[in-house]
Amino acid sequence: MSTKHMSDKAQRYLIHCPYGGKEARLGSWRALVEAQQAGQIRSIGVSNYGVHHLDELEAYIKDLETEHGKGKGGEISVGQWELHPWLARPDIVEWCQKRGTVIQAYCPIVRGQRFDEPLLQPLVKKYNKTPAQVLLRWSLQKGFVPLPKSVTPSRIEENANLYDFKLTAEEVKSLETGEYAPCSWDPTTSHD
């Protein structure tokens, strides 16, 4: 494959949210599958889908395979959700893990809104790390691909400095709050 061809091909394309109804969701997926089969996209996936949306899409993929042949329905290779200790989404995580779907976590540092939380402070002190670094480490150890957002060079550098410490299994578990507290929108609950 030439370098020029690589630049013409999208590496990953996600359906941003499940809004618009079933027909729109399935039509969008079919368009992604067709673009992937035409060599325009390397991998496809979804963002902000609830388990009911994922189940709906999985059934549609099976229908496409029945109609067009094995492997012709596409594969949900990656999914993106707001994920952090205050919104761990165990149902979605379990669904993805069972199917080998890569989980990307946006808002993994909760937009900085929870940096003073008491449950973070002992780990911040123990590891001499920032709350953001502890939260990103949690995300990595949960098997997620964290997507921290920053335009500040020092924070970008800080966010990458995560590989000189590791949380214990007990510490990872201690950060699992069981709360449902999005800091962004949450289309996963949409039933249109």
Side-chain angles (χ1 to χ4, degrees):
M1 184 176 287
S2 73
T3 307
K4 180 186 180 322
H5 189 231
M6 282 295 288
S7 66
D8 293 342
K9 184 179 193 176
Q11 293 299 305
R12 182 170 303 108
Y13 207 103
L14 306 180
I15 300 171
H16 187 61
C17 70
Y19 294 155
K22 180 178 180 175
E23 187 176 327
R25 285 189 293 275
L26 302 184
S28 295
W29 183 258
R30 187 177 195 125
L32 289 184
V33 170
E34 290 170 1
Q36 186 179 39
Q37 290 171 351
Q40 298 170 326
I41 302 171
R42 186 171 154 230
S43 66
I44 57 179
V46 296
S47 183
N48 300 301
Y49 273 44
V51 169
H52 59 290
H53 301 119
L54 294 166
D55 287 340
E56 172 189 88
L57 183 53
E58 186 174 55
Y60 183 61
I61 289 169
K62 289 177 183 172
D63 290 346
L64 288 175
E65 288 186 340
T66 299
E67 186 179 332
H68 300 289
K70 184 145 178 72
K72 300 292 185 180
E75 175 188 358
I76 307 169
S77 61
V78 65
Q80 195 176 93
W81 293 270
E82 178 183 341
L83 288 164
H84 46 72
W86 299 274
L87 190 62
R89 302 187 190 277
D91 57 338
I92 292 170
V93 169
E94 180 183 354
W95 194 99
C96 291
Q97 288 174 337
K98 283 182 179 177
R99 291 156 179 85
T101 301
V102 174
I103 302 168
Q104 294 181 329
Y106 71 81
C107 293
I109 60 173
V110 205
R111 296 182 172 169
Q113 297 169 359
R114 301 280 194 140
F115 284 177
D116 293 329
E117 286 282 332
L119 78 141
L120 285 175
Q121 299 317 305
L123 300 174
V124 166
K125 288 182 179 109
K126 176 181 177 179
Y127 293 107
N128 194 29
K129 294 293 180 179
T130 67
Q133 290 170 316
V134 170
L135 290 170
L136 291 169
R137 189 73 224 169
W138 176 86
S139 190
L140 286 171
Q141 288 183 229
K142 293 289 287 181
F144 309 152
V145 178
L147 304 172
K149 181 180 174 183
S150 181
V151 297
T152 308
S154 62
R155 287 188 185 144
I156 293 168
E157 186 177 331
E158 176 185 290
N159 289 344
N161 188 13
L162 307 172
Y163 299 98
D164 60 347
F165 80 108
K166 188 173 181 180
L167 302 172
T168 67
E170 294 79 25
E171 290 167 339
V172 170
K173 190 153 183 62
S174 76
L175 291 176
E176 295 172 12
T177 66
E179 289 183 39
Y180 172 82
C183 69
S184 184
W185 66 329
D186 190 13
T188 65
T189 61
S190 168
H191 285 281
D192 69 348

